[in-house]
């Protein structure tokens, strides 16, 4: 057999194995039991419209607030890491390494329970300030590295040309370098939004009310009340409503950048 024939044969075997496994699952699965346990239409209808008007909305709000805070702080940290002032670099490095090294869940426990225990007082701006700080501060560490890489990816000639036109270093960064850097880093920043969307499921440990539940908390409470996992399946689908369009945006942006290059 030629190399092309062997390749076709191997590919055909792989397709046949895939089809065989698919047919085995279709024929052996108890679809009635699965439908009742995981896709119960009656239970699913009972979740609406609360899961959209409350849980999905809160998840989107927490993600947006955490991302906005993290992006602003991340930009500041990236500029500090690139600064010629050594103390700025030290502070930025310590911050980034700290938040990249500790679990998000531990940080949320610290905000939700460690700070009130030590100070005897809650953080101001309840219930949103702990959520913003809990999600935004760790995200800022990752975004800072992404932004720094984007700034360093901009050709140095761009900044030099701006300086030759009489711009100060700060003005050149704001007007010339940072806008070009953000064009480069939009796809990874979009991925950060997806990660924050999923991380928002952890804010339930901070304590939420009926009006501030996010998707995971809503699904878990509904599971306990209805004794059926269908609410968790619906909550997962609601997460996909947010993350799948963002993933498609990332693919489109990457394709656009490839064409531009």
């Amino acid at each position: 057999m030629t190399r092309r024939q062997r390749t076709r044969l191997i590919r055909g075997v792989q397709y046949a194995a895939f089809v065989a496994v698919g047919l085995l699952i279709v024929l052996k699965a108890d679809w009635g039991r699965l439908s009742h346990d995981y896709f119960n239409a009656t239970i699913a209808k009972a979740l609406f419209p609360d899961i959209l008007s409350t849980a999905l909305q809160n998840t989107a709000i927490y993600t947006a607030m955490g991302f906005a805070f993290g992006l602003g702080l991340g930009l500041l940290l990236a500029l500090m890491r690139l600064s010629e002032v050594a103390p700025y670099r030290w502070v930025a490095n310590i911050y980034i390494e700290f938040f990249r090294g500790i679990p998000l869940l531990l940080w949320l426990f610290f905000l939700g329970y460690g700070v009130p225990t030590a100070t005897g007082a809650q953080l101001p701006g309840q219930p949103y300030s702990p959520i913003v700080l809990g999600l935004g501060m760790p995200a800022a560490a990752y975004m800072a590295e992404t932004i720094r890489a984007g700034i360093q990816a901009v050709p140095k000639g761009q900044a030099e040309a701006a300086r030759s036109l009489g711009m100060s270093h700060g003005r050149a960064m704001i007007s010339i370098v940072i806008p070009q850097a953000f064009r480069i880093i939009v796809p990874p920043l979009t991925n950060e939004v997806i990660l924050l969307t999923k991380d928002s499921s952890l804010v339930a440990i901070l304590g939420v009310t009926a009006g501030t539940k996010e998707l995971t908390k809503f699904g878990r409470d509904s599971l306990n009340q209805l004794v059926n996992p269908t609410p968790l399946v619906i909550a997962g689908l609601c997460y996909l409503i947010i993350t799948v369009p963002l993933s498609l945006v990332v693919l489109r942006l990457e394709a656009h950048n490839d064409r531009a290059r």
Side-chain angles (χ1 to χ4, degrees):
M1 297 177 66
T2 64
R3 180 179 297 178
R4 178 175 296 180
Q5 288 173 333
R6 289 197 301 270
T7 302
R8 289 178 177 175
L9 177 61
I10 293 172
R11 187 180 295 120
V13 172
Q14 292 174 343
Y15 277 115
F18 179 80
V19 172
V21 172
L23 288 175
L24 182 64
I25 293 174
V26 170
L27 295 176
K28 293 295 184 179
D30 186 350
W31 294 107
R33 178 68 179 273
L34 290 174
S35 176
H36 178 270
D37 289 347
Y38 296 98
F39 302 98
N40 192 306
T42 303
I43 293 177
K45 290 179 181 178
L47 302 177
F48 293 90
D50 291 342
I51 194 170
L52 297 179
S53 61
T54 301
L56 181 60
Q57 178 178 315
N58 287 335
T59 297
I61 291 173
Y62 300 158
T63 301
M65 291 192 304
F67 179 77
F69 182 87
L71 182 61
L73 182 57
L75 176 59
L76 177 62
L77 291 169
L79 295 176
M80 290 173 66
R81 284 209 66 180
L82 296 173
S83 174
E84 296 179 355
V85 181
Y88 289 168
R89 296 197 304 271
W90 299 340
V91 172
N93 285 332
I94 292 172
Y95 182 99
I96 291 170
E97 294 304 324
F98 176 79
F99 279 104
R100 289 199 305 182
I102 65 170
L104 177 60
L105 188 60
L106 180 64
W107 172 242
L108 290 173
F109 271 120
F110 176 77
L111 285 178
Y113 303 100
V115 172
T117 300
T119 63
Q122 297 287 339
L123 290 172
Q126 295 284 342
Y128 295 110
S129 58
I131 295 173
V132 172
L133 295 177
L135 296 177
M137 292 183 71
Y142 294 95
M143 284 192 245
E145 289 296 274
T146 301
I147 296 171
R148 180 179 64 86
I151 291 174
Q152 292 179 326
V154 176
K156 292 183 179 180
Q158 297 289 319
E160 293 172 355
R163 296 297 298 274
S164 67
L165 294 175
M167 290 187 182
S168 63
H169 175 74
R171 182 64 179 175
M173 288 292 293
I174 295 173
S175 301
I176 305 297
V177 178
I178 292 178
Q180 294 187 65
F182 269 88
R183 289 185 59 187
I184 298 172
I185 64 174
V186 164
L189 285 182
T190 308
N191 285 329
E192 186 63 35
V193 178
I194 296 174
L195 293 175
L196 275 174
T197 302
K198 295 185 293 183
D199 288 343
S200 66
S201 62
L202 298 175
V203 303
I205 68 170
L206 297 174
V208 293
T209 64
T212 59
K213 290 181 181 179
E214 38 69 46
L215 284 170
T216 299
K217 176 66 173 174
F218 185 93
R220 187 177 65 182
D221 290 350
S222 299
L223 168 67
N224 295 334
Q225 180 181 359
L226 301 171
V227 196
N228 187 286
T230 297
L232 297 181
V233 176
I234 301 300
L237 293 176
C238 288
Y239 275 111
L240 294 177
I241 292 175
I242 300 175
T243 58
V244 170
L246 290 173
S247 299
L248 296 177
V249 169
V250 171
L251 294 176
R252 292 292 299 272
L253 290 172
E254 290 177 346
H256 176 75
N257 290 338
D258 289 341
R259 290 195 299 269
R261 284 195 296 267

